[in-house]
């Protein structure tokens, strides 16, 4: 019998726990460790930040759902990982031993890299976690009481740009609903080399489509932007040219700002010798296995992926939902093989499907694979995307509650359009 420990209970960790329980012999023990006792559907956080969702609608207690599938759950932060002892030390000083460790922690939010940024003691808001989104909503209500300039975007080194675009358009719509949009000038500030780059070198016609949408919604933008400092009510932004030279320095006033930070690896993972790159992301091989420890596996935002291209201001590569699910399936197949004394063979496709809400419409893209060059690169806009994202929110939360991470009809539908989890 093997003890498999999963560190993290987000999109990857919950799916991995369920898939492992379905795939492996029931004699194997599975334990999920997470610093919070609840699951949160992160893609809905922009809706929370304008009051379109309550926390109860997009989160649920983890333990009861895992217990139904005979999966252990420990709601504790991890202080240290000791690969030489195959053990973890928790924040309450408890020790947990493992035979195989799956690292799916998500990121550490690097607000400290930009002076004055972040929701805790800084001057900008975030939609990266449910508590941050709830705080952002309070700040948004203050904006509505005393309207003024708004800045939305992503800091240098950020890798997940979609939520910034979503929030800008959702915020625009809610301000229109409250009939105060005319009192709120908006600027989109991004480290991307151009609008619609998304950390992916663009997808289909994302550049012209998103530029058109920003113009149509009277949102100005600054690309190749590096935020150097944030003070109360003012953001200092260096704008660069394609050679990386500063061509203009902006001092932008604001009453409300939501800026996505750069990501790093969480401390307990980043501190393990030889496990990670300098940013604290886990280095893996083609089978999602650590390049330093053959009983450590990793998937999701916490893995190391090289940028698609060098950009004047650093940008990272996003790890989208379906891409993460494909990594999880590869790990499950490979771990099953290893436990049977076989060699791992499964490789994730890293295909990307994204639904981005824009208030009353939306944009969808399919990238196969996510990292260019691609076999498929498709980007479309329409009201159907908004409706599809609302439906997907309910569907995905139900998947995480019921423990069926890839229903048969989902698998067959995606297969029909050429999207599969494994190569």
């Amino acid at each position: 019998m093997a003890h498999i420990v999963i560190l993290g209970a987000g999109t990857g960790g919950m799916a991995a726990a369920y898939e492992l329980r379905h795939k492996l012999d029931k004699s194997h023990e599975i334990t999920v460790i997470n610093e919070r006792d609840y699951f949160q559907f992160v893609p809905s956080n922009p809706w929370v930040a304008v009051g379109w969702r309550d926390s109860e609608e997009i989160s649920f207690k983890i333990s009861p759902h895992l217990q139904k599938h005979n999966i252990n759950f420990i709601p504790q932060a991890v202080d240290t990982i000791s690969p030489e002892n195959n053990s973890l030390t928790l924040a309450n000083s408890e020790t947990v031993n493992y035979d195989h460790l799956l690292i799916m922690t998500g990121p550490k939010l690097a607000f400290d890299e930009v002076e004055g940024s972040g929701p805790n003691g800084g001057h900008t808001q975030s939609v990266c976690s449910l508590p941050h989104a709830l705080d952002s909503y309070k700040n948004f209500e203050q904006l509505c009481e005393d309207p003024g300039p708004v800045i939305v975007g992503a800091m240098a080194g950020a890798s997940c740009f979609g939520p910034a675009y979503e929030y800008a358009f959702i915020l625009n719509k809610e301000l229109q609903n409250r009939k105060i949009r005319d009192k709120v000038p908006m600027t989109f500030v991004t480290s991307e080399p151009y609008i619609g780059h998304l950390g992916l070198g663009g997808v289909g016609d994302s550049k012209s489509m998103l530029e058109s949408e920003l113009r149509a919604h009277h949102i100005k933008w600054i690309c190749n932007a590096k935020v150097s400092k944030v003070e109360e009510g003012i953001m200092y932004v260096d704008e660069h040219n394609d050679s990386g030279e500063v061509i203009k320095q902006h001092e932008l006033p604001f009453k409300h700002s939501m800026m996505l930070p750069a990501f790093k690896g969480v401390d307990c993972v980043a501190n393990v010798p030889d496990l990670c790159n300098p940013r604290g992301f886990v280095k893996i091989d083609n089978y999602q296995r650590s390049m330093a420890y053959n009983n450590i596996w990793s998937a999701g935002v916490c893995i190391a992926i090289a940028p698609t291209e060098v950009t004047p201001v650093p940008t990272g590569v996003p790890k989208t939902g379906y891409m993460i699910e494909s990594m999880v399936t590869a790990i499950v197949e490979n771990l099953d093989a290893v436990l049977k004394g076989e060699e791992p063979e499964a490789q994730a496709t890293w295909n990307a499907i994204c639904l981005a809400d824009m208030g009353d419409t939306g944009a969808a893209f399919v990238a196969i694979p996510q990292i260019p060059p691609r076999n498929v690169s498709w980007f479309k806009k329409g009201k159907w995307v908004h409706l599809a994202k609302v439906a997907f929110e309910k569907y995905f939360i139900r998947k995480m509650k019921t423990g069926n991470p890839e229903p048969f009809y989902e698998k067959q539908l995606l297969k029909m359009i050429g999207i599969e989890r494994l190569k």
Side-chain angles (χ1 to χ4, degrees):
M1 184 188 77
H3 185 203
I4 300 158
V5 173
I6 302 169
L7 182 51
T11 299
M14 290 287 284
Y18 290 135
E19 284 198 48
L20 284 168
R21 180 48 73 215
H22 287 310
K23 183 73 175 179
L24 301 184
D25 185 275
K26 297 299 185 288
S27 64
H28 298 299
E29 184 179 5
I30 301 171
T31 299
V32 176
I33 301 175
N34 195 60
E35 64 178 355
R36 296 177 299 270
D37 65 354
Y38 61 90
F39 173 87
Q40 56 179 333
F41 186 62
V42 174
S44 293
N45 284 344
W47 290 338
V48 173
V50 296
W52 292 3
R53 291 289 187 277
D54 295 326
S55 59
E56 294 78 12
E57 295 178 275
I58 67 160
S59 64
F60 60 84
K61 294 292 186 180
I62 292 171
S63 184
H65 301 283
L66 292 185
Q67 285 178 354
K68 290 178 184 178
H69 295 269
N70 194 28
I71 298 169
N72 306 319
F73 178 61
I74 302 174
Q76 282 286 325
V78 172
D79 274 352
T80 58
I81 301 173
S82 302
E84 65 277 7
N85 298 316
N86 292 334
S87 68
L88 310 172
T89 302
L90 308 183
N92 63 359
S93 300
E94 179 184 349
T95 298
V96 178
N97 296 315
Y98 63 83
D99 294 297
H100 287 270
L101 175 65
L102 278 58
I103 298 176
M104 301 179 181
T105 57
K108 177 182 179 179
L109 307 176
F111 293 113
D112 60 307
E113 294 184 344
V114 179
E115 180 185 346
S117 72
N120 300 318
H123 307 290
T124 63
Q125 307 302 315
S126 162
V127 292
C128 294
S129 72
L130 181 54
H132 286 175
L134 291 169
D135 287 343
S136 187
Y137 175 55
K138 294 176 184 177
N139 191 260
F140 168 68
E141 288 292 353
Q142 293 172 6
L143 169 74
C144 294
E145 293 174 5
D146 183 19
V150 161
I151 303 172
V152 177
M155 303 288 193
S159 58
C160 192
F161 297 94
Y165 286 101
E166 282 192 295
Y167 185 70
F169 292 120
I170 290 168
L171 182 64
N172 172 85
K173 177 60 177 173
E174 181 58 18
L175 291 170
Q176 289 177 334
N177 292 345
R178 299 189 186 210
K179 303 188 186 307
I180 57 173
R181 177 65 177 89
D182 59 313
K183 300 177 182 179
V184 182
M186 292 180 64
T187 305
F188 193 80
V189 174
T190 178
S191 51
E192 300 164 275
Y194 54 84
I195 292 298
H197 181 275
L198 302 171
L200 296 169
V203 179
D205 199 24
S206 57
K207 180 179 187 294
S208 61
M209 185 177 292
L210 286 172
E211 282 186 353
S212 177
E213 287 299 313
L214 290 174
R215 288 192 193 96
H217 292 85
H218 310 286
I219 301 172
K220 298 178 180 179
W221 67 80
I222 303 172
C223 295
N224 281 329
K226 183 176 183 179
V227 179
S228 59
K229 182 175 63 173
V230 184
E231 295 177 350
E232 185 174 0
I234 188 163
M235 184 178 294
Y236 297 87
V237 179
D238 292 338
E239 182 180 356
H240 297 71
N241 61 18
D242 291 341
S243 299
E245 302 165 331
V246 177
I247 56 173
K248 190 171 183 180
Q249 293 183 305
H250 303 263
E251 295 184 9
L252 304 177
F254 67 90
K255 285 287 184 71
H256 173 77
S257 176
M258 197 293 294
M259 294 293 293
L260 299 177
F263 291 166
K264 296 173 70 174
V266 299
D267 290 343
C268 66
V269 175
N271 292 336
V272 177
D274 303 318
L275 181 65
C276 301
N277 70 8
R279 294 286 296 179
F281 295 116
V282 180
K283 296 182 290 185
I284 58 169
D285 62 16
N286 292 333
Y287 309 106
Q288 305 294 141
R289 185 161 58 177
S290 163
M291 301 176 74
Y293 306 97
N294 65 8
N295 65 339
I296 294 181
W297 313 75
S298 189
V301 179
C302 57
I303 69 165
I305 300 179
T308 57
E309 59 187 346
V310 176
T311 52
V313 177
T315 57
V317 178
K319 291 94 170 183
T320 55
Y322 190 81
M323 181 183 182
I324 294 172
E325 289 184 275
S326 75
M327 296 181 199
V328 167
T329 298
I331 290 176
V332 170
E333 293 294 326
N334 289 326
L335 186 50
D336 180 52
V338 168
L339 291 173
K340 292 176 179 176
E342 302 167 1
E343 289 297 314
E345 294 182 350
Q347 295 186 41
T349 54
W350 287 16
N351 295 332
I353 310 170
C354 184
L355 301 172
D357 185 47
M358 299 167 71
D360 54 1
T361 182
F365 74 75
V366 175
I368 305 176
Q370 176 164 302
I371 310 301
R374 303 184 178 103
N375 296 317
V376 176
S377 185
W378 178 84
F379 194 96
K380 297 291 182 182
K381 171 185 170 286
K383 185 175 180 62
W384 66 270
V385 183
H386 169 75
L387 299 174
K389 179 144 189 180
V390 172
F392 180 74
E393 173 196 55
K394 312 304 180 191
Y395 169 72
F396 193 88
I397 291 174
R398 177 169 173 76
K399 279 207 309 182
M400 293 299 100
K401 285 182 175 181
T402 60
N404 188 0
E406 190 181 23
F408 175 78
Y409 54 85
E410 175 189 313
K411 184 176 182 178
Q412 292 304 114
L413 178 62
L414 293 176
K415 188 176 182 179
M416 286 172 57
I417 58 178
I419 299 173
E420 297 187 77
R421 293 191 179 189
L422 300 179
K423 293 182 180 179

